[in-house]
Amino acid sequence: MQLLIKNGCILTSSGEFTGDILVEGEKIAAIGSNLQITADRVIDASGMYVLPGGVDQHTHYAGLNTDGVTLSAGYETSYGALIGGTTTLVEFAANEPGMGIIESLDYRKNVRAKGKVSPDFAMHALCTNIRPDLCDEIEKLPEYGVSTLKLFMAYKPTALYTDDGVLFKAMRAAAKVGVTMYVHAENADLLNLLRDEEFEQGHTEPCYHYQTRPPFVEAEAVQRAIILAKAAKCPLCVVHVTCKEAAEIIREERLRGAPVVGETCTHYLVLDQKRMDDPDFMVASRYVCSPALRTQEHRDYLWRALAKGDLDIVASDHSGIPLTQKIWGKDDFRKIPNGCPGTGDRLQMLWTYGVETGKITRQRLVEIFSEIPAKMNGIFPRKGILQVGSDADIVLYDPRYRGICTLETNPSGVEYNLFEGMEQIGRVETVLLRGNVVVENNKYVGVPGYGQFIPGKAYGMAYDLL
Ligand code: MN
Ligand code: MN
C-alpha cells in the first residue's frame, strides 16, 4: 500500500518547503518536491502544514493513587491524543501494589494497556514506595526498552515521595546504564507546612491550592535536584516547570554545563491561576494540578524560555480526573486529586498562543512538540521527525480554521476540557499513525487499541549534555 501526501508545507525543525511525502506500509519512503509517483491513495495537503506526529512525554492514563486505586481515565480514551496530533505517548508505569519496578512495567504494558492504547506508546518507570534495594532494578530498565525513570520529591508522606538519599542512589544507578532521571520537583516539607497552616485557619477552597504552592517551593527543589544530578553525573529532566524562578535556575545551570533539560506543560503556558478562584467548586477544582498554575508574568517567561532553548519540551501531564473524584476535596483543598487532562490539546494551543502570536517559530514548535521529546526518550528517529525510514506518523494541520475549543471537538476522556471556550486557530485535519489514516476531517477514524509499545534506547538526548 502506497499513500502520497501532496503539496503540503512540510515543517521540520530546520525549515519548511512545499513538497510531497510518500508512505509505504508503516514507513516514510520518500520526501521531495513534486514526486512523480502513482500511489494507491493521494491526500491533497494544499494549504496545510505537514509535521511529524507529536510525542507527549508526560501522560497518565489509568493513573494510580497512592493506594493503587485507578484515579484517571483509562487507555480507551487515548484516541483523543490522536485528534490533537499526538501519535506517541510516553506513559508513566507506576509501581503496582506489591510489585517491583520491572514487574509493574510488565503489568502496565500487558494488562492495563493491552489492546486499549490508540496512539503508540513508550514508558517511563515511575517508582513509588521506592526502597534502596529497588535501585538494583533500575539497571535492568534498558533491557526492557525503558530509558527513563521518574521520582517525586513532593507528596510526603505518601508512597510517591522519595527522600534525597534514595533519589541520589537512584541517580547513580540510572547513570550507570544510560537511564535519564525525571523528577517532580517541589519541596515536600515546605508544602506540608504552608498547606496545613492555611487549612488550620479554616481556608478550604481550591484557591488555597495555588496560594500554598508558591514558586520558591518549586525552585528550591529544582536547584536541589540539579545539584544531586551533577554529583551523580546523571542526566535529568525536570518535568512541569511552571515559573520564572525554576526556569532561571535551569538556564543558569545549563550555562555551567549541567546535564538538565526542562519540560513545561500546555496549561502552564495558557491558563491563569485565577481559574481556581471560581466560586463554583466544580469549576475551580478542574485546574488543581501540581505545581500550580501561575500568573501572566510567569507565562511570558516560559514562552521566552521555550523560544530561546532554555526549556525544550512541552508535554500535557495528562490526567483525566473525573469531577466525581475532584469532589473529594470539596471541604479540604488538600484532598482534591491533582491533575488535568490535555493530551489532545497541545498542538492547537501551541499553535494559537505560540506560533500565531509570534512567540515561537513553526520550527521550534516541531522541536518542542515532537522531536526533542522523542530524542529524550530514546525513540528518535523512529519517532519525532519526517524523514525517510521513520515511522509514517504524520499530521496535517489546517491553519485557516477558526473556532472555539469545546469538549466535543477536543475530547479529553472526562466531562470537561480544560481549555473549553478558548479561541483556537487552526486544527488537525488528518493524522497518520504508522501509515494508517487514524484522523480524517478532525474525527477519529482509527482502530481503537492499534497502538504499539515503542522501546526506548538508553543514553537519550540528555546524555549529550554530560
Ligand atoms: Mn508531577
Ligand atoms: Mn505527571
Side-chain angles (χ1 to χ4, degrees), residues 356-371:
E356 288 284 343
T357 60
K359 290 190 174 80
I360 54 170
T361 62
R362 289 185 285 271
Q363 280 59 52
R364 187 64 180 152
L365 171 82
V366 168
E367 288 185 320
I368 62 181
F369 175 68
S370 187
E371 185 169 316

PDB file of all heavy atoms in Angstrom, residues 356-371:
ATOM      1  N   GLU A 356       1.014  31.651  16.317  1.00  0.00           N
ATOM      2  CA  GLU A 356       0.228  32.764  15.743  1.00  0.00           C
ATOM      3  C   GLU A 356       0.556  34.103  16.404  1.00  0.00           C
ATOM      4  O   GLU A 356       0.376  35.148  15.791  1.00  0.00           O
ATOM      5  CB  GLU A 356      -1.274  32.476  15.871  1.00  0.00           C
ATOM      6  CG  GLU A 356      -1.766  31.371  14.931  1.00  0.00           C
ATOM      7  CD  GLU A 356      -1.899  31.825  13.476  1.00  0.00           C
ATOM      8  OE1 GLU A 356      -1.932  33.047  13.220  1.00  0.00           O
ATOM      9  OE2 GLU A 356      -1.970  30.936  12.599  1.00  0.00           O
ATOM     10  N   THR A 357       1.023  34.091  17.638  1.00  0.00           N
ATOM     11  CA  THR A 357       1.373  35.342  18.314  1.00  0.00           C
ATOM     12  C   THR A 357       2.835  35.710  18.097  1.00  0.00           C
ATOM     13  O   THR A 357       3.297  36.735  18.593  1.00  0.00           O
ATOM     14  CB  THR A 357       1.148  35.213  19.836  1.00  0.00           C
ATOM     15  OG1 THR A 357       1.984  34.144  20.308  1.00  0.00           O
ATOM     16  CG2 THR A 357      -0.295  34.917  20.186  1.00  0.00           C
ATOM     17  N   GLY A 358       3.561  34.834  17.405  1.00  0.00           N
ATOM     18  CA  GLY A 358       4.979  35.124  17.149  1.00  0.00           C
ATOM     19  C   GLY A 358       5.901  34.777  18.309  1.00  0.00           C
ATOM     20  O   GLY A 358       7.086  35.111  18.290  1.00  0.00           O
ATOM     21  N   LYS A 359       5.381  34.088  19.311  1.00  0.00           N
ATOM     22  CA  LYS A 359       6.242  33.763  20.462  1.00  0.00           C
ATOM     23  C   LYS A 359       7.249  32.663  20.114  1.00  0.00           C
ATOM     24  O   LYS A 359       8.350  32.654  20.639  1.00  0.00           O
ATOM     25  CB  LYS A 359       5.391  33.314  21.648  1.00  0.00           C
ATOM     26  CG  LYS A 359       4.572  34.441  22.272  1.00  0.00           C
ATOM     27  CD  LYS A 359       3.946  33.962  23.588  1.00  0.00           C
ATOM     28  CE  LYS A 359       3.252  35.085  24.311  1.00  0.00           C
ATOM     29  NZ  LYS A 359       1.903  35.352  23.758  1.00  0.00           N
ATOM     30  N   ILE A 360       6.821  31.707  19.280  1.00  0.00           N
ATOM     31  CA  ILE A 360       7.751  30.671  18.823  1.00  0.00           C
ATOM     32  C   ILE A 360       7.583  30.491  17.311  1.00  0.00           C
ATOM     33  O   ILE A 360       6.520  30.765  16.757  1.00  0.00           O
ATOM     34  CB  ILE A 360       7.512  29.300  19.519  1.00  0.00           C
ATOM     35  CG1 ILE A 360       6.062  28.841  19.367  1.00  0.00           C
ATOM     36  CG2 ILE A 360       7.940  29.327  20.985  1.00  0.00           C
ATOM     37  CD1 ILE A 360       5.808  27.398  19.805  1.00  0.00           C
ATOM     38  N   THR A 361       8.632  30.017  16.673  1.00  0.00           N
ATOM     39  CA  THR A 361       8.554  29.747  15.233  1.00  0.00           C
ATOM     40  C   THR A 361       7.926  28.370  15.002  1.00  0.00           C
ATOM     41  O   THR A 361       7.851  27.543  15.915  1.00  0.00           O
ATOM     42  CB  THR A 361       9.962  29.717  14.605  1.00  0.00           C
ATOM     43  OG1 THR A 361      10.702  28.650  15.199  1.00  0.00           O
ATOM     44  CG2 THR A 361      10.689  31.040  14.832  1.00  0.00           C
ATOM     45  N   ARG A 362       7.515  28.119  13.770  1.00  0.00           N
ATOM     46  CA  ARG A 362       6.986  26.793  13.437  1.00  0.00           C
ATOM     47  C   ARG A 362       8.079  25.733  13.596  1.00  0.00           C
ATOM     48  O   ARG A 362       7.800  24.591  13.953  1.00  0.00           O
ATOM     49  CB  ARG A 362       6.444  26.789  12.002  1.00  0.00           C
ATOM     50  CG  ARG A 362       5.159  27.589  11.851  1.00  0.00           C
ATOM     51  CD  ARG A 362       4.572  27.464  10.445  1.00  0.00           C
ATOM     52  NE  ARG A 362       5.306  28.237   9.463  1.00  0.00           N
ATOM     53  CZ  ARG A 362       5.048  29.511   9.161  1.00  0.00           C
ATOM     54  NH1 ARG A 362       4.075  30.170   9.763  1.00  0.00           N
ATOM     55  NH2 ARG A 362       5.768  30.137   8.246  1.00  0.00           N
ATOM     56  N   GLN A 363       9.329  26.131  13.358  1.00  0.00           N
ATOM     57  CA  GLN A 363      10.426  25.172  13.505  1.00  0.00           C
ATOM     58  C   GLN A 363      10.607  24.788  14.973  1.00  0.00           C
ATOM     59  O   GLN A 363      10.811  23.633  15.315  1.00  0.00           O
ATOM     60  CB  GLN A 363      11.721  25.779  12.931  1.00  0.00           C
ATOM     61  CG  GLN A 363      11.800  25.694  11.411  1.00  0.00           C
ATOM     62  CD  GLN A 363      10.648  26.413  10.710  1.00  0.00           C
ATOM     63  OE1 GLN A 363      10.365  27.581  10.981  1.00  0.00           O
ATOM     64  NE2 GLN A 363       9.960  25.714   9.825  1.00  0.00           N
ATOM     65  N   ARG A 364      10.527  25.775  15.837  1.00  0.00           N
ATOM     66  CA  ARG A 364      10.660  25.487  17.269  1.00  0.00           C
ATOM     67  C   ARG A 364       9.468  24.646  17.760  1.00  0.00           C
ATOM     68  O   ARG A 364       9.634  23.770  18.600  1.00  0.00           O
ATOM     69  CB  ARG A 364      10.753  26.815  18.055  1.00  0.00           C
ATOM     70  CG  ARG A 364      11.066  26.636  19.520  1.00  0.00           C
ATOM     71  CD  ARG A 364      12.427  26.014  19.770  1.00  0.00           C
ATOM     72  NE  ARG A 364      12.690  25.861  21.199  1.00  0.00           N
ATOM     73  CZ  ARG A 364      13.476  24.923  21.727  1.00  0.00           C
ATOM     74  NH1 ARG A 364      14.115  24.069  20.944  1.00  0.00           N
ATOM     75  NH2 ARG A 364      13.662  24.857  23.023  1.00  0.00           N
ATOM     76  N   LEU A 365       8.295  24.898  17.198  1.00  0.00           N
ATOM     77  CA  LEU A 365       7.129  24.079  17.544  1.00  0.00           C
ATOM     78  C   LEU A 365       7.409  22.600  17.280  1.00  0.00           C
ATOM     79  O   LEU A 365       7.126  21.735  18.107  1.00  0.00           O
ATOM     80  CB  LEU A 365       5.909  24.537  16.730  1.00  0.00           C
ATOM     81  CG  LEU A 365       4.702  23.605  16.845  1.00  0.00           C
ATOM     82  CD1 LEU A 365       3.911  23.887  18.114  1.00  0.00           C
ATOM     83  CD2 LEU A 365       3.793  23.702  15.637  1.00  0.00           C
ATOM     84  N   VAL A 366       7.970  22.307  16.104  1.00  0.00           N
ATOM     85  CA  VAL A 366       8.268  20.914  15.756  1.00  0.00           C
ATOM     86  C   VAL A 366       9.215  20.307  16.801  1.00  0.00           C
ATOM     87  O   VAL A 366       9.057  19.158  17.217  1.00  0.00           O
ATOM     88  CB  VAL A 366       8.876  20.824  14.335  1.00  0.00           C
ATOM     89  CG1 VAL A 366       9.452  19.443  14.060  1.00  0.00           C
ATOM     90  CG2 VAL A 366       7.819  21.174  13.289  1.00  0.00           C
ATOM     91  N   GLU A 367      10.177  21.095  17.241  1.00  0.00           N
ATOM     92  CA  GLU A 367      11.133  20.574  18.229  1.00  0.00           C
ATOM     93  C   GLU A 367      10.484  20.277  19.573  1.00  0.00           C
ATOM     94  O   GLU A 367      10.669  19.205  20.137  1.00  0.00           O
ATOM     95  CB  GLU A 367      12.269  21.588  18.442  1.00  0.00           C
ATOM     96  CG  GLU A 367      13.212  21.679  17.266  1.00  0.00           C
ATOM     97  CD  GLU A 367      14.392  22.599  17.541  1.00  0.00           C
ATOM     98  OE1 GLU A 367      14.206  23.671  18.171  1.00  0.00           O
ATOM     99  OE2 GLU A 367      15.505  22.251  17.128  1.00  0.00           O
ATOM    100  N   ILE A 368       9.736  21.240  20.097  1.00  0.00           N
ATOM    101  CA  ILE A 368       9.233  21.076  21.477  1.00  0.00           C
ATOM    102  C   ILE A 368       8.021  20.151  21.550  1.00  0.00           C
ATOM    103  O   ILE A 368       7.736  19.568  22.584  1.00  0.00           O
ATOM    104  CB  ILE A 368       8.895  22.447  22.124  1.00  0.00           C
ATOM    105  CG1 ILE A 368       7.781  23.171  21.365  1.00  0.00           C
ATOM    106  CG2 ILE A 368      10.148  23.302  22.210  1.00  0.00           C
ATOM    107  CD1 ILE A 368       7.427  24.538  21.934  1.00  0.00           C
ATOM    108  N   PHE A 369       7.337  19.974  20.429  1.00  0.00           N
ATOM    109  CA  PHE A 369       6.121  19.152  20.367  1.00  0.00           C
ATOM    110  C   PHE A 369       6.452  17.698  20.045  1.00  0.00           C
ATOM    111  O   PHE A 369       5.742  16.786  20.451  1.00  0.00           O
ATOM    112  CB  PHE A 369       5.203  19.739  19.285  1.00  0.00           C
ATOM    113  CG  PHE A 369       3.945  18.971  18.985  1.00  0.00           C
ATOM    114  CD1 PHE A 369       2.923  18.887  19.919  1.00  0.00           C
ATOM    115  CD2 PHE A 369       3.767  18.358  17.749  1.00  0.00           C
ATOM    116  CE1 PHE A 369       1.750  18.192  19.637  1.00  0.00           C
ATOM    117  CE2 PHE A 369       2.605  17.659  17.451  1.00  0.00           C
ATOM    118  CZ  PHE A 369       1.591  17.575  18.406  1.00  0.00           C
ATOM    119  N   SER A 370       7.557  17.496  19.321  1.00  0.00           N
ATOM    120  CA  SER A 370       7.779  16.178  18.739  1.00  0.00           C
ATOM    121  C   SER A 370       9.231  15.703  18.816  1.00  0.00           C
ATOM    122  O   SER A 370       9.531  14.657  19.377  1.00  0.00           O
ATOM    123  CB  SER A 370       7.302  16.240  17.280  1.00  0.00           C
ATOM    124  OG  SER A 370       7.340  14.981  16.696  1.00  0.00           O
ATOM    125  N   GLU A 371      10.125  16.482  18.244  1.00  0.00           N
ATOM    126  CA  GLU A 371      11.492  15.993  18.035  1.00  0.00           C
ATOM    127  C   GLU A 371      12.281  15.820  19.338  1.00  0.00           C
ATOM    128  O   GLU A 371      12.885  14.760  19.572  1.00  0.00           O
ATOM    129  CB  GLU A 371      12.233  16.955  17.096  1.00  0.00           C
ATOM    130  CG  GLU A 371      13.619  16.485  16.726  1.00  0.00           C
ATOM    131  CD  GLU A 371      14.231  17.305  15.586  1.00  0.00           C
ATOM    132  OE1 GLU A 371      13.531  17.591  14.602  1.00  0.00           O
ATOM    133  OE2 GLU A 371      15.426  17.646  15.694  1.00  0.00           O
TER     134      GLU A 371
END
